[in-house]
Amino acid sequence: MQSSNNGAVGKRIRNYGTTVVNVSNRERIASVALGLLFISRGIKKVSLFRTVVGGYLLYRGASGHCPVYSQLQREKYTSKAEAVNIQTTLIVNKPKDEVYKFWRSLDNLPLFMSHLKSVIKIDDTKSRWEVNVPGNVTSIHWEAEIVKEEEGELISWNSLPGATIENAGKVEFRDALGHQGTELKVVITYKPPAGKIGGGLAWLLHPLFKKMIEKDISNFKQYIETGKIATN
């Protein structure tokens, strides 16, 4: 005879005392392993960020509780990951044609975007991208294609189907400063890796990753006008 569980069949969040266990065993093992790696590298590199992330991952693995999951009322098998959406407008003191040509060669982007490890041209429209995960403990790569182009006015690209990470971007170019400068409207979107571990790390790193991209875009003005970026 089967006993009733009061309608809780299939519910994956479990309560042990006052701690809600909402992380699967596989995620807990991965969290501990990654936590130790982050802490080790944080100590070697004197990196507060890596050490803090490592501590969080160790707590997550040891307790089986993910505060982020709880806050978002997510269950451990959720595969949907929040997208990083960046929209900004800036004006640079360079002619529109020059700015457009620079962006049209997408392999120029890592020159001022620190979150990009590389963008390698495959052909006139396709390219291979590699992005650094915050903390530089690993990288993710995929292929993208320019899907819309209006010469001197607009460039739009998307990651190809089956990519590890979904990426899309659009840049619009308009004359400014009496045709001596350019106004850019930039939209960039990343959807972090899906899945149990990928989804969890995506939520953890999302705020830092978004901040990194915003800073990278703001670096463009300095780079296109001076040819370099000041480092702290």
Side-chain angles (χ1 to χ4, degrees):
M1 177 176 178
Q2 293 183 342
S3 60
S4 171
N5 58 3
N6 297 322
V9 174
K11 188 173 181 62
R12 300 184 178 94
I13 297 178
R14 304 182 301 279
N15 284 291
Y16 291 114
T18 59
T19 301
V20 176
V21 177
N22 57 2
V23 179
S24 69
N25 289 334
R26 287 186 179 182
E27 284 186 82
R28 293 178 70 172
I29 294 171
S31 293
V32 170
L34 285 172
L36 292 173
L37 178 61
F38 266 87
I39 290 176
S40 174
R41 294 192 176 185
I43 293 174
K44 289 179 181 178
K45 301 291 185 179
V46 194
S47 170
L48 178 61
F49 165 74
R50 295 184 186 186
T51 304
V52 170
V53 171
Y56 173 85
L57 288 170
L58 281 179
Y59 165 79
R60 189 175 185 271
S63 67
H65 174 68
C66 178
V68 178
Y69 281 3
S70 295
Q71 180 181 353
L72 300 170
Q73 296 181 343
R74 287 159 50 95
E75 293 189 353
K76 66 181 178 180
Y77 289 106
T78 298
S79 61
K80 184 178 179 181
E82 181 76 359
V84 177
N85 297 300
I86 308 295
Q87 299 185 44
T88 188
T89 300
L90 65 156
I91 295 177
V92 299
N93 191 24
K94 287 288 182 179
K96 186 178 71 169
D97 287 346
E98 180 180 341
V99 176
Y100 171 81
K101 288 178 181 177
F102 183 91
W103 272 87
R104 179 58 178 81
S105 297
L106 295 177
D107 50 354
N108 283 327
L109 300 188
L111 295 175
F112 63 92
M113 290 187 168
S114 62
H115 80 281
L116 291 176
K117 186 173 182 179
S118 65
V119 178
I120 300 173
K121 182 178 179 179
I122 298 175
D123 57 32
D124 194 49
T125 60
K126 294 185 179 66
S127 51
R128 180 180 175 85
W129 295 52
E130 187 169 7
V131 66
N132 291 312
V133 173
N136 293 320
V137 295
T138 188
S139 62
I140 301 171
H141 57 80
W142 67 92
E143 292 184 0
E145 181 178 22
I146 293 176
V147 293
K148 186 175 181 180
E149 180 178 7
E150 298 174 11
E151 188 170 355
E153 304 292 333
L154 179 147
I155 300 170
S156 177
W157 68 89
N158 280 328
S159 55
L160 294 176
T164 304
I165 186 170
E166 296 179 22
N167 168 236
K170 181 175 73 172
V171 185
E172 298 178 38
F173 307 84
R174 298 185 179 93
D175 285 313
L177 305 175
H179 294 272
Q180 299 301 309
T182 306
E183 179 185 77
L184 296 90
K185 182 178 180 181
V186 183
V187 178
I188 294 179
T189 299
Y190 283 101
K191 185 176 181 182
K196 301 173 186 176
I197 298 176
L201 291 177
W203 282 105
L204 172 63
L205 300 176
H206 169 265
L208 271 177
F209 190 47
K210 183 176 181 179
K211 184 176 180 180
M212 184 187 301
I213 300 171
E214 290 172 340
K215 179 65 168 62
D216 284 350
I217 295 174
S218 70
N219 284 340
F220 175 69
K221 176 178 174 64
Q222 186 178 25
Y223 186 87
I224 197 69
E225 291 179 352
T226 67
K228 60 183 180 181
I229 299 173
T231 56
N232 294 325

